[in-house]
Amino acid sequence: MTELGRGTLELPSHQAHARAWLLLCGALAVHILDEGLNGFLEFYNPAVSALREWVPLFALPTFSFGTWLAGLIVAVGGLTALTPLVRRGAQGMTPLSHAFAIIMFANGLLHLLGSLYFGERLAGIYSTPLLLVGSVHLAMRTPVSFPALPHGRQHAKHKETPTS
């Protein structure tokens, strides 16, 4: 890799990527705790039911607390279990990292904007900054990947220069 300011931008390492991934998994776990302790389903379930009456094909489910919590524990456990694949730079982890970061950023924004719109602190608002910062951090630490070119050609930014 080259130094910053000397040709090309230094890309983040897989180690930094894995730490950022794990940080966002932790932020999500804290966020779930925040939602659970502050009555998220008391807001979510009636909102989804009302939307279903207004838009019959609205597909979001309602949950009992146990089902909601168990599903999220499995999701966070599964995401956390992917950390070794992120650390190794396994194929598919770059787009998955971008998707995870985007979804968590959108989740944080929904909590923030929903709290402003309804004029009250929605469940999950206390941990929203963790989601927002964690998702931006993951996006910044996720290596940039380029699609493969046919016949062994390389992208111009990654061509090896001949040595004399």
Side-chain angles (χ1 to χ4, degrees):
M1 287 193 213
T2 62
E3 293 180 35
L4 292 176
R6 295 202 181 186
T8 61
L9 182 64
E10 195 171 322
L11 298 176
S13 72
H14 294 301
Q15 228 21 17
H17 181 198
R19 282 191 300 269
W21 175 274
L22 202 53
L23 178 73
L24 188 52
C25 288
L28 177 56
V30 170
H31 184 68
I32 293 164
L33 180 65
D34 180 7
E35 288 179 333
L37 291 174
N38 292 298
F40 172 72
L41 291 179
E42 294 168 15
F43 174 83
Y44 171 85
N45 282 336
V48 167
S49 295
L51 283 170
R52 276 197 204 140
E53 288 179 20
W54 189 51
V55 182
L57 297 177
F58 193 69
L60 287 178
T62 56
F63 296 100
S64 68
F65 182 78
T67 302
W68 173 79
L69 186 58
L72 289 172
I73 288 170
V74 168
V76 171
L79 288 166
T80 303
L82 293 174
T83 305
L85 295 176
V86 175
R87 189 176 298 112
R88 285 196 305 263
Q91 185 175 0
M93 294 314 298
T94 293
L96 188 59
S97 293
H98 287 299
F100 186 27
I102 289 167
I103 291 167
M104 291 301 101
F105 191 83
N107 187 1
L109 279 182
L110 283 172
H111 283 278
L112 184 62
L113 296 175
S115 293
L116 292 172
Y117 179 79
F118 290 107
E120 62 183 77
R121 285 180 229 115
L122 297 181
I125 192 66
Y126 299 115
S127 57
T128 289
L130 293 175
L131 285 183
L132 295 173
V133 170
S135 59
V136 169
H137 183 64
L138 177 59
M140 291 174 60
R141 295 294 179 251
T142 300
V144 176
S145 64
F146 296 95
L149 292 174
H151 307 296
R153 293 177 30 205
Q154 294 179 333
H155 288 277
K157 287 186 178 184
H158 295 287
K159 283 187 179 177
E160 293 184 24
T161 54
T163 56
S164 306

